[in-house]
Amino acid sequence: MFFLTYIRRELTRRRGRTILTALGLGTGIGLVIAITALASGLNRAQAQILNPLAGIGTDLMVTRTVNLSAAGQPQSNRRGTSLADVQALQAEAQSASQNALLDLSKLGKPGDHFVHDFFLPATQLTFPAEEAQQIRILPHVAQVANGLTLVANHQEGTVPEIVAEFHTQQQTIDISPPTPAEQVAINACVQKLMPSPSPGQTPGRGEFTQPLPPGFIACLPPRFRQLVIQAQVLRQTIAPPQTDIATQTYTVAGLDVTQPGIGLITPAQLTSGRFLTTPSAQPEAIVANAYAQRINVKLGSTLTINGTSFQVVGLARPPLGGQSADVYLALEELQQLSNRSDRANVMLVRADSAVNVDQVAHAIEAAFAGAQVTTAKDLAKQVSGSLVDASNLAGRLGLVLALVVLASSFLIASLLTLSSVGKRVRELGTLRAIGWRKGAVVRQVLGESLVQGIIGAIAGIGLGFAVTLAIVAFAPPLHATAASLAGPSAGFGGFGLGNFGAAAAPVTQDVRLQGVIDGSIVALAVALAVAGGLTAGGAGAMRAARLRPADALRELG
Amino acid sequence: MYELRQLTRRYRQGPSVIAAVDGIDLQIQDGEFLVIEGRSGSGKTTLLQLLGGLDRPTNGHLFFDGQDLSSMPDRRLTDLRLRAFGFIFQQFNLIPTLSAMENVQAALAPAGVRGEAMRERAMELLEEVGLKDRASHLPSQLSGGEQQRVAIARALANHPRVILADEPTGNLDSKTGEEIIALLRNLSHQHGQSVILVTHDQAVAATAPRALSMRDGRLFENPPTDALPGLAAR
């Protein structure tokens, strides 16, 4: 095809102009690719982080939650938790602690060293584990797993001396002798009780020569029989017990080991080691990376909780925004440790299809009184941090920037093409003179621009890759932060359980910025390049089409 | 072949209107070698463009083989330029990025000649103008005379009925110019093509079998000159 030969000659023999135009388009396209790739990478990172439930094989999380104000006053939450629920939680909290927390003497003899973990509910009520069965039979529910999330209070120290002694004064109480009237009454009474005098016996005068008969006590007036001491209040100050108890708060969660695909964490969140096995000879635990670092625990270390040794078999990165915990145990073991046999406080539910999630959520709320159903969408809203900022930035500013850059590169390419057509007026006029149709000349100009656009696309893709890699290599990591749902409520002070120190810290995850360049982005680049080429070529072609051959030839003077 | 009746082409130039071609009546026969001589600004180039279908008259008629070019649609004019007319320009007007061979092909391609046939025909044409061994050279690598030969080969590509040459020797030295004129005359003789050549060079006009002079948009029949009998005899 002569047309192609001509394009090739034009582009190769006017190399400078070709490179300039292609580079103009390529720069625009490269930046669009880089911005799109980074935005796409951010979206992917966000999708992973903002959808922690998907990471743990879950669509919905069912809890019964009580909201407490900072002052500890129960507040009706949006689902209208009843006062009864609040009282139930309160009772649960107290029963959990009554065994030892309020009576440290139960931990041992005064002066003994003790280590003990107290398990407190967070703001979630427990429910019987078998309720999961009722959820399981709801339509569109594919899988249900129970979980138990508790706040543990690890205390270590010396059992304090807390025995108090009360000393009272010795008291002497004088009782006045019988009055003459009482004397007469007593004698008369006693006389009646005495048996008849036997022969030969002369009764003495006013003297009891015989032993007193049984029952004579009844003859005494009441004040000789009973001494009433009026009630009185004793008041004394007792010094508070001297202790050296150190307290550490962490969160602990129980996993349904029989369903590893769904749970508060799943094998997908492991960063090293393995998941909990069942049945296991020795109790096992998975520890969150951040907590493991804090308490200096490694794979294979032993974690002792109230006398039970747990071997750390895995380290994990808990999902952000979900019910993340510091330590994960098998559900049964945590139930046993915390005296909550067959109880759970979170249910993880998977719907049979993503489209049915809302329907399942409504069904659970209807079937399960007081249930609070959290979906991935709800959790996403809780996540903040630089990841979200960057993503918003890439989404909005990036788009604007990309459009501006693209528009300028199109403009530059169009101007270059226009100027080139301007310089080729005589050439194009000559072609018209020797019998080229207007369409053929237009096709020629467009064809050249199109090829330049494709060269620009190739350059742009290369540039885009380079810029993306450079940004990924040098950009700082981004953070995503979410409040831990399992964190203890600040309001527990109101329940008289004392202050358990800092609430569990918000969970933060670092995310490496990644650029995702896939087929669709490359296709976009090529489409943009073609569009750019056609825009530029179109501008030139319009000018070429308007050329009247006579004018074109006249311009040569 | 051509019949011009009161052919007029006016231009607006600022406030005034200039008649570049002013009511010309003329007949040109098949196979004629016609030279129109005139000073610059006399309207000779405008007349040539009208004859070649590059421009349209403002008044009058221009018949080519009985068809009135003044009312012909653009597409048919383009077809005529491709198949019936061959143009030669003062500046040669070769495409600078194409070789001599490809410049000739540029005229063959729109006529539907393809592939090997196109290359063969282009080579044949270059051979005819004596440039067979310069086929792959770019215009910038050719002398002025050589470039004009390429332009002649291009003009002849589709066996035109008439060659329209606008000052073909204007950019050449006199010796080369003479060679180009001689080449044109030979080819027109061989192929039976008409040649209409406009020039400001009276010497060129003197060699022509028929010469007209143009002054202010009007044509005047000149008596044939014997000034250069040597050339005329050839």
Side-chain angles (χ1 to χ4, degrees), chain A residues 1-2 5-6 9-10 13-14 426-427 430-438 548-550 553-554 556, chain B residues 11 49 54-55 75 78-79 81-82 87 89 91 93 95-98 102 105-107 109-110 138 154:
Chain A
M1 284 285 281
F2 178 76
T5 309
Y6 188 14
R9 294 283 186 265
E10 276 296 321
R13 293 191 173 139
R14 295 185 205 270
R426 189 175 68 177
E427 178 181 326
T430 303
L431 291 173
R432 295 282 281 124
I434 65 171
W436 281 48
R437 295 202 167 165
K438 202 177 275 183
R548 290 179 60 246
L553 295 174
R554 195 167 287 126
L556 49 111
Chain B
Y11 291 105
Q49 290 179 346
L54 288 171
D55 201 358
R75 267 183 107 75
T78 306
D79 260 11
R81 290 202 297 269
L82 178 64
F87 287 91
F89 307 93
Q91 313 268 4
N93 290 19
I95 311 298
T97 54
L98 297 181
E102 288 160 348
Q105 290 176 349
L138 287 177
R154 180 176 69 183

Side-chain angles (χ1 to χ4, degrees), chain A residues 102-405:
Chain A
L102 294 184
D103 186 355
L104 295 170
S105 65
K106 289 187 180 170
L107 293 172
K109 291 178 194 149
D112 282 358
H113 183 77
F114 79 94
V115 178
H116 196 83
D117 291 69
F118 305 101
F119 294 97
L120 308 163
T123 52
Q124 288 166 200
L125 293 170
T126 62
F127 46 79
E130 61 263 28
E131 286 197 29
Q133 298 311 313
Q134 295 165 29
I135 303 292
R136 178 68 190 83
I137 56 171
L138 291 175
H140 302 302
V141 171
Q143 207 176 349
V144 179
N146 275 318
L148 182 61
T149 315
L150 297 170
V151 178
N153 208 26
H154 177 86
Q155 294 198 327
E156 192 165 354
T158 311
V159 178
E161 177 75 63
I162 49 174
V163 175
E165 282 179 32
F166 294 87
H167 301 273
T168 56
Q169 295 296 317
Q170 185 184 344
Q171 293 182 34
T172 306
I173 300 165
D174 295 322
I175 300 171
S176 53
T179 58
E182 283 172 339
Q183 191 68 60
V184 172
I186 292 168
N187 285 345
C189 179
V190 171
Q191 281 299 322
K192 276 186 205 160
L193 294 171
M194 295 292 274
S196 308
S198 46
Q201 271 188 338
T202 309
R205 291 172 304 163
E207 283 179 11
F208 297 110
T209 54
Q210 292 178 6
L212 286 170
F216 91 97
I217 293 292
C219 297
L220 295 177
R223 69 182 178 101
F224 290 97
R225 280 181 276 158
Q226 199 171 31
L227 180 68
V228 176
I229 297 170
Q230 291 304 311
Q232 58 184 328
V233 177
L234 296 175
R235 188 165 294 180
Q236 186 169 350
T237 305
I238 301 169
Q242 295 294 313
T243 62
D244 58 349
I245 299 173
T247 300
Q248 234 181 7
T249 302
Y250 63 96
T251 50
V252 57
L255 305 174
D256 184 349
V257 182
T258 58
Q259 299 188 75
I262 178 168
L264 290 168
I265 58 164
T266 65
Q269 279 81 46
L270 283 179
T271 53
S272 60
R274 60 171 175 82
F275 204 65
L276 303 177
T277 50
T278 177
S280 56
Q282 195 194 346
E284 295 170 343
I286 292 172
V287 181
N289 288 327
Y291 186 65
Q293 244 169 22
R294 186 142 45 98
I295 62 168
N296 200 19
V297 161
K298 292 184 184 65
L299 270 189
S301 303
T302 303
L303 210 61
T304 305
I305 302 176
N306 292 352
T308 310
S309 293
F310 292 87
Q311 195 192 353
V312 177
V313 296
L315 295 177
R317 187 167 62 190
L320 194 60
Q323 296 240 345
S324 57
D326 296 320
V327 177
Y328 294 89
L329 309 175
L331 182 60
E332 292 75 17
E333 279 158 3
L334 181 59
Q335 285 170 337
Q336 222 171 0
L337 275 177
S338 63
N339 284 328
R340 284 176 176 81
S341 289
D342 293 324
R343 291 188 82 80
N345 64 1
V346 56
M347 247 188 285
L348 303 154
V349 181
R350 182 155 63 211
D352 58 1
S353 151
V355 296
N356 292 326
V357 169
D358 285 343
Q359 199 187 328
V360 170
H362 291 306
I364 292 172
E365 279 170 1
F368 193 29
Q372 181 163 342
V373 181
T374 309
T375 64
K377 252 182 287 175
D378 301 330
L379 285 180
K381 289 178 196 144
Q382 300 170 354
V383 178
S384 60
S386 57
L387 170 67
V388 179
D389 297 340
S391 181
N392 288 342
L393 191 74
R396 296 189 193 133
L397 189 71
L399 184 69
V400 172
L401 187 70
L403 287 179
V404 167
V405 169

Side-chain angles (χ1 to χ4, degrees), chain A residues 429-436 549-550 553, chain B residues 2 44-55 62 69 77-94 103 107 147-168 184 193-198:
Chain A
T430 303
L431 291 173
R432 295 282 281 124
I434 65 171
W436 281 48
L553 295 174
Chain B
Y2 274 112
K44 58 186 192 302
T45 295
T46 303
L47 177 61
L48 196 75
Q49 290 179 346
L50 289 170
L51 291 171
L54 288 171
D55 201 358
L62 170 63
L69 298 194
L77 273 183
T78 306
D79 260 11
L80 268 186
R81 290 202 297 269
L82 178 64
R83 298 181 190 281
F85 307 146
F87 287 91
I88 298 169
F89 307 93
Q90 181 177 2
Q91 313 268 4
F92 325 129
N93 290 19
L94 298 178
N103 263 289
Q147 288 187 54
Q148 198 60 298
R149 283 163 190 266
V150 174
I152 290 169
R154 180 176 69 183
L156 292 169
N158 297 313
H159 307 286
R161 298 275 307 284
V162 56
I163 300 277
L164 299 156
D166 186 6
E167 298 270 17
L184 277 175
Q193 277 143 343
S194 307
V195 174
I196 301 170
L197 189 155
V198 303

Side-chain angles (χ1 to χ4, degrees), chain A residues 405-428:
Chain A
V405 169
L406 200 63
S408 346
S409 78
F410 278 24
L411 188 68
I412 290 168
S414 298
L415 290 176
L416 285 170
T417 308
L418 270 180
S419 125
S420 138
V421 169
K423 284 180 192 153
R424 288 166 72 194
V425 161
R426 189 175 68 177
E427 178 181 326
L428 299 176

Side-chain angles (χ1 to χ4, degrees), chain B residues 5-24:
Chain B
R5 288 189 204 151
Q6 285 298 304
L7 190 70
T8 305
R9 179 69 168 97
R10 292 194 185 88
Y11 291 105
R12 190 172 292 278
Q13 199 172 66
S16 56
V17 174
I18 291 165
V21 172
D22 192 4
I24 289 178

